[in-house]
């Protein structure tokens, strides 16, 4: 497929720009689009057990082009942090920083209970806003300026107490009334065959029928191990070249191993459409031409000394939770990038998961067992639903920075998947 794209591009002649445009036409308007159109029109068995055709057409491909967009940003302790817009979950990190800017976070140990409590509660509020307000800004009126306003952050910050909040609480930017998805009863949350290709479907369905959400979530977390060596995940890459250009990218088509291959092309289609809600009227509801609100969220920042930082991780809804921890430990704990990544991690499952069956477990806080027992005990006493995780199990972060003529890079040892390389 790619050799044919190159041949068609070279046949167009002209300079590099003309050939790149010819390659894009071959993909979006030529033989690639035609093959996808034929493939999607053919009815196939889906999770309902019946045959249905897809909805993507060659016209959809021909009328879409990637665009350049100005990033969003927030200032935090002399740093300027940049994220993509609300068509992804990126702004939650900026919202969390705005909320934390008015706390005494810097006075606390970066692996201590107070630090964890404040960051977890700030991220709960930001993720609740994600559910109520984020969507494709080309189609949805997202009140992003208000969501990132320090005055709005001050209102949200005032709701954080000394104990864990067990409610999902979106804010009301500009006086708007928030609306959360109407999540169905636990018994109907899981349908065998839909979502990831679990081999433990029957067990999870029974757990949902008994409304045992905690054990069902644990089964979901264990499912990747049950799938064996063919499991996959999102990727993340940070690059700084010899001229000082900095790139952070988090590409992912979701779990492509369970998506059918287009025979004429040799690759499958992205499964990111599962991020949509089928309930109408939400900012992230399925609609023609709308981008799904993805979990993909690379990060970049300019340091107080003018240096640049790029970082990110795979991990679905946990991406910005882990990204935030690395950044805050680097800024407040003055840990170098590797130490900031290596420090024990946590993740909250408080808000609806972006992946089917969209489970929310308010208060649940998964923490690596390397945290001190006193820290875990204090968080439990504050009402957090602390559950232990393996000592090196949460986060897949990597990072690269450029500062005062030095290049630095770091990669998580978790899962033996990431590497830092320089030359």
């Amino acid at each position: 497929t790619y050799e044919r794209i190159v041949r068609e591009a070279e046949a167009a002649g002209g300079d590099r720009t003309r050939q790149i445009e010819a390659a894009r036409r071959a993909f979006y308007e030529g033989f690639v689009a035609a093959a996808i159109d034929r493939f999607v029109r053919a009815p196939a068995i889906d999770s309902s057990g019946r045959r249905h055709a897809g909805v993507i057409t060659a016209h959809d491909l021909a009328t879409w082009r990637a665009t350049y967009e100005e990033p969003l940003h927030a200032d935090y302790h002399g740093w300027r942090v940049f994220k993509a817009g609300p068509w992804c979950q990126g702004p939650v990190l900026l919202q969390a920083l705005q909320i934390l800017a008015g706390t005494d976070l810097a006075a606390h140990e970066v692996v201590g209970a107070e630090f964890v409590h404040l960051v977890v509660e700030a991220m709960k509020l930001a993720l609740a806003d994600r559910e109520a307000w984020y969507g494709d800004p080309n189609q949805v009126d997202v009140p992003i300026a208000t969501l990132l306003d320090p005055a709005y952050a001050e209102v949200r910050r005032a709701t954080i107490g000394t104990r864990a909040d067990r409610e999902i609480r979106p804010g009301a930017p500009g006086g708007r009334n928030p609306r959360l998805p109407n999540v169905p009863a636990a018994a109907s949350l899981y349908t065998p065959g839909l979502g990831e290709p679990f081999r433990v479907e029957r067990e999870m369905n029974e757990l949902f029928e008994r409304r045992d959400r905690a054990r069902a979530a644990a089964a979901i977390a264990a499912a990747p191990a049950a799938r064996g060596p063919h499991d996959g995940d999102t990727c993340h890459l940070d690059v700084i070249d010899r001229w000082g250009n900095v790139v952070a990218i988090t590409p992912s088509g979701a779990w492509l191993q369970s998506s059918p291959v287009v025979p004429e092309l040799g690759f499958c289609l992205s499964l990111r459409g599962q991020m949509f809600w089928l309930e109408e009227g939400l900012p992230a509801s399925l609609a023609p031409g709308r981008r799904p609100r993805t979990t993909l969220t690379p990060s970049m920042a300019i340091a107080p000394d003018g240096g640049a930082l790029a970082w990110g991780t795979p991990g679905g809804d946990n991406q910005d939770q882990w990204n935030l921890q690395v950044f805050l430990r680097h800024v407040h704990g003055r840990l170098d990038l590797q130490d900031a990544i290596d420090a024990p991690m946590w993740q909250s499952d408080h808000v609806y998961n972006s992946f089917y069956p969209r489970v929310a477990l308010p208060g649940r806080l998964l923490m690596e067992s390397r945290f001190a027992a006193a820290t875990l005990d204090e968080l439990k006493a504050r009402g957090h639903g602390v559950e232990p995780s393996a000592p090196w199990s949460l986060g897949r972060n990597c990072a690269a920075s450029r500062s005062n003529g030095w290049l630095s890079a770091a990669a998580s040892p978790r899962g033996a998947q990431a590497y830092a390389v320089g030359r």
Side-chain angles (χ1 to χ4, degrees):
T1 295
Y2 284 109
E3 288 173 349
R4 181 175 172 183
I5 290 174
V6 170
R7 288 197 302 270
E8 294 198 11
E10 291 175 341
D15 61 11
R16 177 175 180 272
T17 299
R18 181 174 176 179
Q19 292 186 26
I20 288 175
E21 288 305 311
R24 289 162 63 90
R25 286 194 301 273
F27 198 102
Y28 292 109
E29 302 173 37
F31 78 97
V32 174
I36 291 174
D37 186 83
R38 287 191 291 271
F39 174 73
V40 171
R41 287 177 184 271
I45 294 177
D46 59 26
S47 58
S48 70
R50 299 184 298 275
R51 290 186 177 273
H52 293 99
V55 295
I56 296 175
T57 67
H59 176 74
D60 292 322
L61 294 168
T63 55
W64 184 87
R65 287 295 185 273
T67 58
Y68 290 98
E69 298 180 6
E70 288 292 325
L72 302 173
H73 72 268
D75 295 327
Y76 184 82
H77 285 260
W79 290 74
R80 175 157 288 187
V81 182
F82 297 92
K83 300 291 285 189
W87 54 268
C88 73
Q89 69 172 332
V92 300
L93 188 143
L94 302 182
Q95 283 196 247
L97 289 176
Q98 296 281 42
I99 292 169
L100 293 168
T103 70
D104 60 349
L105 190 66
H108 301 289
E109 169 59 38
V110 294
V111 291
E114 182 63 21
F115 190 95
V116 174
H117 173 75
L118 287 172
V119 177
V120 167
E121 294 303 301
M123 185 55 78
K124 285 180 184 178
L125 295 173
L127 287 170
D129 276 348
R130 181 194 74 175
E131 292 306 316
W133 303 112
Y134 288 19
D136 185 348
N138 292 340
Q139 290 198 9
V140 178
D141 181 18
V142 182
I144 195 65
T146 304
L147 291 171
L148 296 179
D149 192 312
Y152 177 75
E154 184 176 358
V155 173
R156 301 291 275 154
R157 186 186 311 122
T159 67
I160 297 177
T162 59
R163 293 188 56 80
D165 192 348
R166 292 299 184 106
E167 299 295 326
I168 299 175
R169 299 184 190 276
R176 302 186 186 194
N177 293 320
R179 176 186 166 190
L180 291 173
N182 182 25
V183 178
S188 59
L189 276 176
Y190 185 74
T191 302
L194 194 57
E196 293 192 69
F198 294 131
R199 285 190 276 165
V200 288
E201 293 171 343
R202 182 176 301 173
E203 174 191 351
M204 285 190 290
N205 203 34
E206 291 173 352
L207 290 169
F208 277 122
E209 288 175 356
R210 296 201 302 267
R211 289 173 169 74
D212 192 341
R213 298 169 74 94
R215 287 183 60 200
I220 290 172
R227 288 198 300 276
H230 301 295
D231 185 38
D233 200 351
T234 296
C235 302
H236 180 80
L237 188 68
D238 301 302
V239 178
I240 302 177
D241 68 15
R242 71 185 69 182
W243 298 281
N245 297 303
V246 183
V247 173
I249 183 171
T250 312
S252 179
W255 33 83
L256 299 180
Q257 69 272 16
S258 65
S259 182
V261 171
V262 182
E264 296 177 55
L265 302 176
F267 59 77
C268 52
L269 302 181
S270 169
L271 299 179
R272 283 286 153 183
Q274 67 186 294
M275 306 287 95
F276 284 118
W277 289 96
L278 296 184
E279 178 183 347
E280 294 186 5
L282 298 169
S285 296
L286 178 66
R290 182 175 295 179
R291 289 176 287 180
R293 191 211 68 206
T294 78
T295 56
L296 307 172
T297 175
S299 304
M300 300 184 74
I302 302 297
D305 65 1
L309 171 65
W311 79 107
T313 179
D317 294 275
N318 303 312
Q319 288 180 30
D320 271 330
Q321 296 193 57
W322 298 335
N323 286 335
L324 183 61
Q325 291 170 61
V326 169
F327 180 72
L328 293 173
R329 287 162 170 171
H330 185 55
V331 172
H332 293 308
R334 301 196 179 280
L335 303 183
D336 65 27
L337 294 178
Q338 191 63 57
D339 286 341
I341 288 172
D342 287 352
M345 291 277 195
W346 70 83
Q347 70 186 51
S348 169
D349 295 328
H350 183 77
V351 177
Y352 312 112
N353 197 293
S354 294
F355 297 90
Y356 191 87
R358 316 301 283 263
V359 177
L361 298 168
R364 184 175 189 254
L365 183 61
L366 199 62
M367 301 187 70
E368 288 185 345
S369 60
R370 293 183 293 131
F371 279 96
T375 297
L376 300 176
D377 289 343
E378 182 175 344
L379 289 167
K380 290 177 183 177
R382 289 179 175 223
H384 293 278
V386 174
E387 295 186 24
S389 182
W392 294 87
S393 59
L394 305 180
R396 295 290 187 272
N397 293 79
C398 58
S401 69
R402 184 197 70 214
S403 181
N404 297 320
W406 288 90
L407 298 181
S408 302
S412 175
R414 299 167 177 86
Q417 295 174 327
Y419 297 86
V421 180
R423 68 174 184 177

